[in-house]
Amino acid sequence: MSDTPATVEDLDAGLRSVGYLPGARTSLVSHLAIHLDKPVLVEGPAGVGKTELAKALASVLDRDLIRLQCYEGLDEAKALYEWNYRKQLLRIQAETGSSGGDGEGWSQVQDDVFGEEFLLTRPLLQAIASERPVVLLIDEIDKTDQEFEAMLLELLSDFQITIPELGRIEATTQPVVLLTSNNTRELTEALKRRCLYLWLDYPELEHELEIVRQHVPDLPGTISRRLVEVVSEIRNLELKKPPSIAESIDWARTLLLLGATDLDQQLFRDTLSVIVKHRTDIDLVSERVGLRLPARAAE
């Protein structure tokens, strides 16, 4: 779809056409972000489809996806831009050398070593400077600190970036911006004020069943339903890491590959590591959930 969806219903249909099954609020907030030119802060547990929403929007809007993966210690040199110091040094050496060391070479080069030729663009500047509209994903913003959030405010408010040596660079096209957070820390009010807000949680049983059936249509319906029921039960336990939607899909693909006709205790234990990734979680799930599954019938 190269045209921007005109209505919430059109966007909902577009997201479904690329394999993303949104909730009603997801389609609404995404629609508002596109037409109001507002960033969206998407919060929720890990693995509920926050990053996939950005990928799906890029597909629906026929835009490139530019992704900034956040981490502790991320600074503007990795997020915005940095200068190609090696290239600048070579240029200075070449100019000063050609002048015979009388200082005239430096006076000629000092103004242009901070030109765009020497600028290394990073994701945020790439999104601002792109000639074609893009989808900008700032992923896991909660892993950074408040100083990094403060640096983002100019971008999120005015879609512009100020480089001291070059001046202000304004967006030539309007990016769709999604910031995701796993809610591991409270984000600043200044950041939240500039964004629309979307909370994504683990889907209801019928919604997740629809997702699993779309991605693994050949798995028998009875097993698909049993699978999402078990995953829902597992998520209600006190785990270090509950299973994500992607892991539900992986488990469905695993059961299909193994030719499963039912989900019994033995098969559950054999494939549990597909959806549970901590040893203590495996022990808890095996005890609380696995023992309630039917035993394998004697052959």
Side-chain angles (χ1 to χ4, degrees):
M1 295 176 61
S2 58
D3 295 331
T4 301
T7 67
V8 177
E9 291 73 21
D10 290 341
L11 180 58
D12 187 272
L15 291 172
R16 290 175 179 273
S17 72
V18 297
Y20 188 91
L21 303 183
R25 179 164 170 76
T26 301
S27 298
L28 173 61
V29 174
S30 300
H31 175 77
L32 294 175
I34 294 168
H35 291 277
L36 297 179
D37 296 329
K38 294 279 288 184
V40 183
L41 173 60
V42 188
E43 282 195 312
V48 295
K50 301 185 295 294
T51 300
E52 291 303 314
L53 174 59
K55 295 178 180 178
L57 283 172
S59 295
V60 171
L61 299 173
D62 191 23
R63 298 187 181 191
D64 291 334
L65 175 68
I66 296 179
R67 178 176 180 176
L68 173 63
Q69 178 61 55
C70 298
Y71 54 87
E72 186 177 352
L74 178 65
D75 59 18
E76 66 178 29
K78 298 301 181 183
L80 276 172
Y81 70 93
E82 62 180 326
W83 293 106
N84 189 332
Y85 298 115
R86 182 181 178 185
K87 191 174 181 180
Q88 287 174 320
L89 180 60
L90 290 173
R91 176 66 178 274
I92 293 169
Q93 289 174 338
E95 291 293 337
T96 55
S98 65
S99 69
D102 58 6
E104 293 182 3
W106 168 246
S107 65
Q108 294 172 356
V109 77
Q110 61 180 333
D111 291 332
D112 65 5
V113 292
F114 288 104
E116 293 184 8
E117 176 187 356
F118 301 93
L119 193 66
L120 297 175
T121 60
R122 301 307 185 202
L124 297 182
L125 183 55
Q126 289 171 8
I128 289 294
S130 176
E131 295 181 358
R132 295 185 67 247
V134 301
V135 173
L136 172 61
L137 169 62
I138 304 174
D139 213 4
E140 298 185 308
I141 182 65
D142 53 324
K143 289 187 175 180
T144 64
D145 54 27
Q146 292 189 3
E147 291 183 358
F148 185 82
E149 285 186 48
M151 186 268 295
L152 282 177
L153 298 183
E154 181 184 16
L155 171 71
L156 299 180
S157 295
D158 304 315
F159 292 99
Q160 66 181 28
I161 290 172
T162 301
I163 300 176
E165 299 85 353
L166 290 179
R168 185 174 59 195
I169 298 178
E170 298 180 351
T172 55
T173 57
Q174 192 72 31
V176 173
V177 183
L178 274 74
L179 303 91
T180 73
S181 166
N182 294 333
N183 204 31
T184 59
R185 72 170 177 87
E186 187 69 22
L187 302 177
T188 63
E189 292 299 322
L191 180 72
K192 290 183 175 181
R193 280 198 306 271
R194 287 160 172 81
C195 300
L196 302 175
Y197 184 77
L198 176 64
W199 173 266
L200 291 184
D201 210 337
Y202 295 112
E204 298 293 333
L205 192 148
E206 292 299 327
H207 189 187
E208 186 161 16
L209 179 59
E210 185 181 3
I211 294 171
V212 169
R213 285 176 172 170
Q214 181 181 49
H215 287 273
V216 195
D218 295 331
L219 188 68
T222 53
I223 299 181
S224 296
R225 177 170 289 277
R226 187 63 181 135
L227 178 151
V228 297
E229 289 174 347
V230 170
V231 169
S232 178
E233 188 175 353
I234 291 173
R235 287 181 185 142
N236 288 328
L237 301 176
E238 293 292 331
L239 302 181
K240 289 185 177 180
K241 181 191 175 301
S244 67
I245 299 173
E247 287 164 333
S248 295
I249 295 170
D250 287 342
W251 196 23
R253 289 171 174 161
T254 299
L255 298 180
L256 177 63
L257 181 64
L258 296 176
T261 58
D262 194 10
L263 186 56
D264 54 39
Q265 291 181 13
Q266 184 62 49
L267 184 59
F268 180 75
R269 287 195 297 268
D270 291 344
T271 60
L272 182 57
S273 61
V274 176
I275 56 172
V276 180
K277 307 295 174 65
H278 290 273
R279 175 58 189 273
T280 55
D281 288 350
I282 289 177
D283 293 340
L284 179 61
V285 170
S286 296
E287 178 183 350
R288 298 283 184 87
V289 179
L291 294 178
R292 290 204 290 273
L293 292 172
R296 180 169 297 181
E299 298 181 357

